[in-house]
Amino acid sequence: MSVLVYTESDNGSFKKNAFEVASYASEVAKQIGTAVTAISFNSNENEKLGDYGVSKVLNVSSDQLKTFNAKAYARAIVEATKSEDAKVIIVSSSSDTKFLTPIVAAKLGAGYASNVVAAPESTSPFKVKRTVFSNKGFAHTEINTDIKVVGVSNNSFGLVENNTTASIEDFNPVLDDVDFTSKSIEIDKVVGKVTIADADIVVSGGRGLKGPENWEMIEELAEVLGAATACSKPVSDMGWRPHGEHVGQTGKPVASNLYIAIGISGAIQHLAGVSASKTKVVINTDPEAPFFKAADYGIVGDAFEVVPKLIEKLKEFKAQNA
Amino acid sequence: MKILVCISNVPDTTSKINFTDGDTKFDTNGVQFVINPNDEFGLTRAMWFKEKQGATVHIATVGGQSAEPTMRKALAIGADEAIRVNAEPADGYFVAQQLAEVVKNGAYDLVIGGRESIDYNGGMVPGILATLLDMNFVNMCIDLQIDGTNATAVREIDGGKEKIATSLPLVIGCQKGLVDESDLRIPNMRGIMMARKKTLSVVEPIEATVATTDVNFDKPAPKGAVKLVDAANVEELVNLLHNEAKVI
Ligand SMILES: Cc1cc2nc3c(=O)[nH]c(=O)nc-3n(C[C@H](O)[C@H](O)[C@H](O)COP(=O)(O)OP(=O)(O)OC[C@H]3O[C@@H](n4cnc5c(N)ncnc54)[C@H](O)[C@@H]3O)c2cc1C
Ligand SMILES: Nc1ncnc2c1ncn2[C@@H]1O[C@H](COP(=O)(O)O)[C@@H](O)[C@H]1O
């Protein structure tokens, strides 16, 4: 018996969430007195998983699986679960993972708890804490099935080093043609830019910025901070920014360490999607803007004056701390 | 083409969330229920297929009688028929098994669900449903074109999007972007009148597994007051973020 963790990589390198879910898996394994096996696809750095407590890596290297395919990846994870006799499966909350996990759960008849924010409260019964009602509440949820699937929220558990030597084995799941009835025909992805899902810092702009032409300063602020850019819903509805940047209850969830909201009023639907961020900063001309009630730090002021100054001060800070 | 849209009946996005019965239940007192926003995008796309390509559109909800006003709203928007599975939606696995039965009995070509319900945020029903029925599945779908039995879907990925070629029968989990915001419909008087006459059938649930149980709930601790920094002293914010919050 072991705990299985799906560690996601992109172009051979692990995503940050891979180490977070490995850390989480290692905590679960400790609680139930077993070891962690990871499954990874075409990763070049499997040995790194040992730093986060993984003792065995099943490495799938397959040309057929170079491009993500939810059904085929799910089949591989199911096969690994069976061959390892895993009772707990730990996964992240990335877009790809949220695509494949329901498939894995259904194939195994396993209960799946998503958006889990802490280590299990108990393992028998198996009980986890997860966010519900778009971050407005927490549920303490028991998973009743023999096999349990836990989806860990981004940045909720953090990285915990746990020095182990990981043995690496090749793993060749038997794939089936039925897994490839959906085919990726085009991927349109910004390269060299931090994505909202992976970002430690997110800089977000709202309708207060008046128009798409004013996003240059948002981009620049994001660049200085190594942050991802995001926006409120009306901004993407009006086509000022792409849909993928829209955050909030009906957009992408944000769980970054730092979220900077500029010219965003802080409507309840916006806050619902970003409140899992640890530190929130708001810059808004209106001291009555609801976001000030939800923020940790705030500046009442005009974005067109404050943001350029902030960029300048951050550049000075970076120069001093380089 | 026969389309089923799965509609989850959820608290309005502005609802205050409270728990009752010793924090074991969601307090519905004073809460307004609506069509889950993601499902509304899906329903709107279904209406487009109906009008532009010819399709029959049914909706299904797993829920008690209290879900019926929301279902009537979906009928008023233009769905042809509604099916309610008469059971409390115990968890995502349970709901997916009930919906799978509805899909089997109705021989639908396309099943549209949302990326997630905004109440329990499971994000799992469409994927489990597709797998139980061995249908193709695309999650976080932001565009869908159908040509005969071929389908082209676009899904959101972290940092971009991916176009997928697939085929019917198909299940999608959709989200904002699938339709334009301006295409969302508010039911008019005629729609509301017609909806009253449309069939809303109630079916009993099948025996099914409940895989997870929410034992109890709580709310995040209230936030401390915001620390304001003077607009003339932006440097102070940089200091606070570095020394106090330790995020830069
Ligand atoms: C079903 C539903 C779902 C929704 N989902 C989402 C969601 O997921 N995400 C989301 O964001 N919204 C969502 N909304 C919309 C939400 O209700 C708000 O309308 C929206 O968040 C407002 O966007 P905003 O803050 O950019 O614009 P506004 O509310 O117009 O706020 C603009 C702010 O900018 C400030 N401002 C103006 N000029 C300046 C300046 N020069 N410098 C600094 N500040 C300035 C103003 O004081 C104001 O506070 C949803 C709504 C519904 C009904
Ligand atoms: N009780 C329900 N009845 C009908 N459809 C549902 C129900 N619950 C969830 N769904 C569908 O499944 C999607 C995802 O829900 P969930 O997995 O609960 O986040 C929703 O957007 C709906 O389309």
Side-chain angles (χ1 to χ4, degrees):
Chain A
M1 196 188 81
S2 68
V3 172
L4 184 74
V5 58
Y6 165 45
T7 45
E8 206 176 332
S9 59
D10 192 14
N11 263 324
S13 311
F14 282 119
K15 294 192 175 182
K16 198 185 98 191
N17 68 39
F19 301 125
E20 184 172 28
V21 289
S23 305
Y24 189 100
S26 136
E27 170 64 26
V28 177
K30 202 163 73 190
Q31 287 189 16
I32 58 181
T34 179
V36 181
T37 300
I39 177 167
S40 66
F41 295 82
N42 303 306
S43 161
N44 302 325
E45 39 183 42
N46 286 314
E47 67 292 341
K48 279 195 189 169
L49 293 172
D51 299 346
Y52 300 93
V54 172
S55 52
K56 177 165 148 193
V57 184
L58 301 177
N59 174 50
V60 184
S61 52
S62 150
D63 279 343
Q64 249 184 322
L65 300 177
K66 272 258 146 66
T67 311
F68 175 81
N69 174 310
K71 234 172 157 178
Y73 274 45
R75 183 182 295 274
I77 294 170
V78 166
E79 215 181 291
T81 305
K82 291 182 177 154
S83 73
E84 290 296 302
D85 188 25
K87 295 293 177 213
V88 185
I89 304 171
I90 310 296
V91 300
S92 77
S93 293
S94 75
S95 296
D96 285 355
T97 301
K98 284 202 160 176
F99 187 3
L100 70 79
T101 306
I103 305 176
V104 171
K107 283 187 184 235
L108 291 168
Y112 166 35
S114 54
N115 306 320
V116 170
V117 292
E121 291 168 357
S122 66
T123 53
S124 173
F126 197 92
K127 191 169 166 196
V128 287
K129 178 179 178 181
R130 64 189 182 98
T131 57
V132 289
F133 296 97
S134 309
N135 294 313
K136 289 187 231 172
F138 297 108
H140 302 269
T141 304
E142 279 179 20
I143 310 180
N144 313 320
T145 47
D146 180 37
I147 300 176
K148 296 146 181 84
V149 184
V150 178
V152 181
S153 270
N154 277 347
N155 280 328
S156 63
F157 188 74
L159 302 180
V160 182
E161 293 202 24
N162 193 334
N163 235 307
T164 312
T165 307
S167 68
I168 299 165
E169 289 175 15
D170 282 327
F171 185 67
N172 297 304
V174 182
L175 300 170
D176 192 308
D177 284 347
V178 302
D179 297 332
F180 296 93
T181 50
S182 295
K183 275 197 187 62
S184 175
I185 47 178
E186 194 183 313
I187 291 177
D188 177 6
K189 195 163 146 183
V190 255
V191 282
K193 228 187 133 210
V194 195
T195 64
I196 296 170
D198 291 334
D200 285 325
I201 305 179
V202 173
V203 176
S204 190
R207 195 144 60 179
L209 289 168
K210 314 284 191 273
E213 66 282 3
N214 296 325
W215 245 263
E216 224 164 88
M217 64 179 185
I218 301 293
E219 300 268 9
E220 193 181 349
L221 177 58
E223 198 182 311
V224 178
L225 287 166
T229 52
C231 67
S232 68
K233 180 165 175 284
V235 164
S236 70
D237 287 343
M238 292 183 292
W240 296 0
R241 299 297 292 176
H243 279 301
E245 278 199 8
H246 153 219
V247 296
Q249 188 163 31
T250 53
K252 276 215 159 63
V254 180
S256 54
N257 285 327
L258 172 60
Y259 182 74
I260 306 183
I262 303 163
I264 298 177
S265 58
I268 190 164
Q269 299 95 350
H270 185 87
L271 296 177
V274 305
S275 62
S277 293
K278 297 207 173 71
T279 300
K280 287 164 285 257
V281 174
V282 54
I283 300 170
N284 196 307
T285 40
D286 176 9
E288 302 297 321
F291 215 130
F292 283 106
K293 290 209 174 65
D296 301 282
Y297 302 102
I299 295 183
V300 178
D302 184 343
F304 297 95
E305 285 162 24
V306 174
V307 175
K309 265 195 247 165
L310 182 58
I311 293 171
E312 187 194 310
K313 294 296 171 198
L314 281 166
K315 281 186 175 161
E316 285 173 24
F317 166 80
K318 291 266 137 129
Q320 279 163 20
N321 289 270
Chain B
M1 180 164 55
K2 259 189 103 177
I3 304 176
L4 183 73
V5 185
C6 306
I7 304 265
S8 169
N9 177 42
V10 299
D12 175 78
T13 55
T14 58
S15 307
K16 294 259 183 306
I17 302 302
N18 289 304
F19 302 103
T20 175
D21 286 15
D23 282 340
T24 58
K25 279 202 181 71
F26 171 58
D27 185 357
T28 56
N29 212 337
V31 172
Q32 172 98 23
F33 281 81
V34 296
I35 301 176
N36 184 41
N38 292 314
D39 307 349
E40 195 176 344
F41 301 133
L43 177 62
T44 307
R45 188 65 187 163
M47 295 321 301
W48 185 93
F49 284 123
K50 176 177 161 158
E51 283 154 21
K52 297 280 162 41
Q53 296 185 196
T56 311
V57 178
H58 291 181
I59 62 146
T61 299
V62 179
Q65 199 178 1
S66 60
E68 289 191 3
T70 298
M71 299 176 72
R72 288 278 173 210
K73 188 176 166 202
L75 290 171
I77 287 173
D80 300 301
E81 251 184 75
I83 301 151
R84 179 167 69 82
V85 179
N86 187 27
E88 285 310 315
D91 81 330
Y93 210 97
F94 176 87
V95 169
Q97 291 166 89
Q98 301 304 334
L99 291 172
E101 189 66 14
V102 172
V103 174
K104 245 188 269 168
N105 294 334
Y108 297 96
D109 308 292
L110 173 64
V111 179
I112 300 180
R115 171 191 76 181
E116 68 171 11
S117 302
I118 62 164
D119 50 4
Y120 296 95
N121 307 108
M124 64 182 79
V125 169
I128 296 175
L129 172 67
T131 307
L132 293 175
L133 293 168
D134 236 337
M135 287 167 80
N136 285 318
F137 174 52
V138 175
N139 208 1
M140 300 185 186
C141 185
I142 52 172
D143 187 43
L144 179 65
Q145 308 287 341
I146 306 239
D147 179 9
T149 58
N150 292 324
T152 311
V154 178
R155 77 168 174 114
E156 197 167 284
I157 56 177
D158 292 334
K161 48 196 178 180
E162 177 185 34
K163 192 184 265 184
I164 292 175
T166 184
S167 58
L168 303 180
L170 169 70
V171 180
I172 64 163
C174 70
Q175 62 181 36
K176 187 189 153 238
L178 183 70
V179 291
D180 275 343
E181 208 64 14
S182 55
D183 292 335
L184 294 180
R185 301 170 187 199
I186 298 162
N188 57 21
M189 211 42 183
R190 189 163 162 269
I192 295 169
M193 296 302 286
M194 278 170 54
R196 286 196 193 145
K197 294 194 207 100
K198 289 180 179 169
T199 308
L200 190 164
S201 41
V202 179
V203 301
E204 289 309 313
I206 57 163
E207 187 114 4
T209 317
V210 176
T212 61
T213 317
D214 293 328
V215 182
N216 61 306
F217 300 92
D218 52 35
K219 293 212 281 183
K223 261 202 65 52
V226 60
K227 228 179 226 180
L228 289 180
V229 174
D230 197 281
N233 192 9
V234 173
E235 199 165 2
E236 177 62 12
L237 178 63
V238 177
N239 287 336
L240 287 168
L241 292 178
H242 179 60
N243 297 318
E244 193 177 82
K246 300 190 164 52
V247 286
I248 60 170

